Amino acid sequence: MNTSPVTYAAAGVDTEAGDKAVELMKDAVRATHGPQVVGGVGGFAGLFDVSELTRYRRPLLATSTDGVGTKVAIAQAMDVHDTIGFDLVGMVVDDIVVVGARPLFMTDYIACGKVVPERIADVVRGIAAACQVAGTALVGGETAEHPGLLGPEEYDVAGAATGVVEADELLGPDRVRAGDVLLALGSSGLHSNGYSLVRRVIEVAGWSLDREVPEFGRTLGAELLEPTRVYAADCLELIAAGGVHAFSHITGGGLAANVARVLPAGLVADIDRAGWQLPPVFSVLQQLGQVPWHDLERTLNLGVGMVAIVDADRADALRARAEHLGLAAWTLGAVRDLDPARDTESPDLVAGTKGVHGGAVRLRNGYRV
């Protein structure tokens, strides 16, 4: 029989390391706080003053939660942890801005096998930096040590955010009409979806993360770890310019499936695959793994991170505004009425995804690689 005392530390949990991680990260977290944040860092709950909502006629709160997926495995393999926060924030706040909501505040959750203060602080610093880009306060979080469930070098991250939109300014399918134009906003790379496919491709090919890839101009690992573009603040600028009817955040499911989610029943968006040059990471992975194109386009963003569906009369001005904000932007397609006889028989028609039975997207031609 064991007569030695059993302590929390002996069980694998180091509370002092957790405290040190908080000390290392708190300045970065505070940098996201405006006057609306009450109480600072370290409380049981994050507090956010919403007095300004009294000026709204009918405020709707919007909320979203997400994680980073298996992209964290790339960060862990490379021992680079200060960029994964952009992937987390992008996945969360850019779902909120789709409905026209301004993200107000966010919280995060990190589960790890062992708290290494410097590593945890790097993750949170990345989250905080991305929150600043989005104009969102990071008001709280939690780091949980799970020895025996996760390995000492393993961790996972998740987050949730809340935003607000005036009810009569809500964006979405109700505003979309035949004749509207689709504007593509370019992605920064793979973003944070499809990494199970990506990791399998490079595993089968036997490529290492430190392999120099001429098409990328850097290592494979650096390309795969490229942070997600955070669009929220830019999308709000486009909304303020007028003429935006809906947004679609291109995440899991790919371009067509996500655009179809924000179209009303009876309408189709025509998208020409040859309308833009695929960034090298997508064509390299496709060729490396001989991935079928239909599988690739239903998994990865293929260079389009966000789509704005806009009034045709405002399309040129909004594209110019997006470019002024530093976004690659181009006309992706247009919305029209569904032709049941012609469209429903097309193998390239995508509809009824994510449980949404609204409009559809019809793809044509092949990609430019």
Side-chain angles (χ1 to χ4, degrees):
M1 180 178 179
N2 180 22
T3 58
S4 300
V6 177
T7 64
Y8 208 12
V13 177
D14 187 345
T15 56
E16 291 184 4
D19 290 341
K20 182 179 179 183
V22 172
E23 285 298 317
L24 292 173
M25 72 177 70
K26 65 183 182 182
D27 287 344
V29 173
R30 284 197 189 107
T32 72
H33 293 178
Q36 298 89 352
V37 177
V38 179
V41 179
F44 282 94
L47 297 173
F48 192 89
D49 184 345
V50 293
S51 299
E52 67 173 90
L53 299 192
T54 59
R55 298 196 296 270
Y56 282 66
R57 297 179 301 279
R58 185 188 168 202
L60 300 180
L61 294 181
T63 186
S64 177
T65 186
D66 209 338
V68 175
T70 61
K71 188 171 183 176
V72 295
I74 305 296
Q76 290 159 22
M78 296 182 65
D79 196 23
V80 175
H81 311 284
D82 59 353
T83 62
I84 206 77
F86 276 83
D87 301 291
L88 178 63
V89 173
M91 291 301 104
V92 175
V93 301
D94 290 340
D95 276 359
I96 285 177
V97 80
V98 158
V99 300
R102 176 168 58 93
L104 299 173
F105 55 83
M106 181 166 176
T107 58
D108 65 65
Y109 176 79
I110 304 171
C112 60
K114 178 180 174 58
V115 171
V116 178
E118 294 76 13
R119 182 165 61 208
I120 298 300
D122 276 350
V123 173
V124 176
R125 286 189 191 109
I127 296 170
C131 281
Q132 285 190 282
V133 170
T136 305
L138 183 59
V139 298
E142 172 70 8
T143 300
E145 204 165 19
H146 292 167
L149 185 61
L150 295 169
E153 304 303 316
E154 294 178 329
Y155 63 83
D156 198 9
V157 295
T162 298
V164 63
V165 59
E166 192 73 75
D168 60 7
E169 296 174 3
L170 189 70
L171 302 183
D174 291 347
R175 292 178 177 260
V176 177
R177 301 287 184 268
D180 282 354
V181 171
L182 276 65
L183 291 182
L185 304 181
S187 69
S188 58
L190 293 166
H191 284 185
S192 190
N193 299 103
Y195 272 77
S196 294
L197 172 63
V198 171
R199 290 166 55 240
R200 181 60 177 163
V201 166
I202 63 175
E203 177 188 3
V204 170
W207 280 25
S208 63
L209 293 175
D210 61 0
R211 181 189 181 104
E212 293 285 343
V213 182
E215 292 90 340
F216 304 159
R218 53 182 172 176
T219 67
L220 173 64
E223 181 69 29
L224 298 188
L225 207 57
E226 178 68 30
T228 297
R229 173 100 194 202
V230 177
Y231 297 93
D234 295 327
C235 288
L236 292 173
E237 290 260 7
L238 295 178
I239 293 168
V244 177
H245 295 165
F247 281 112
S248 177
H249 188 198
I250 311 306
T251 56
L255 176 61
N258 282 294
V259 171
R261 296 168 68 185
V262 297
L263 299 177
L267 294 187
V268 175
D270 283 315
I271 294 178
D272 183 359
R273 294 183 180 101
W276 73 100
Q277 181 78 36
L278 281 192
V281 66
F282 301 102
S283 52
V284 167
L285 288 169
Q286 190 277 326
Q287 294 166 16
L288 187 63
Q290 291 299 294
V291 183
W293 280 108
H294 72 272
D295 196 61
L296 201 74
E297 71 182 6
R298 295 183 184 186
T299 307
L300 305 179
N301 68 60
L302 298 184
V304 181
M306 185 76 76
V307 174
I309 303 176
V310 307
D311 189 291
D313 292 339
R314 294 288 299 151
D316 289 342
L318 286 166
R319 184 175 63 249
R321 181 61 181 156
E323 290 171 348
H324 177 75
L325 293 169
L327 292 163
W330 65 94
T331 300
L332 186 67
V335 179
R336 60 172 173 81
D337 291 318
L338 177 74
D339 180 344
R342 179 167 63 99
D343 291 324
T344 55
E345 298 301 319
S346 171
D348 287 330
L349 191 77
V350 177
T353 62
K354 303 278 188 177
V356 177
H357 298 283
V361 170
R362 185 169 177 174
L363 299 159
R364 59 188 176 89
N365 297 323
Y367 294 103
R368 289 194 288 127
V369 298

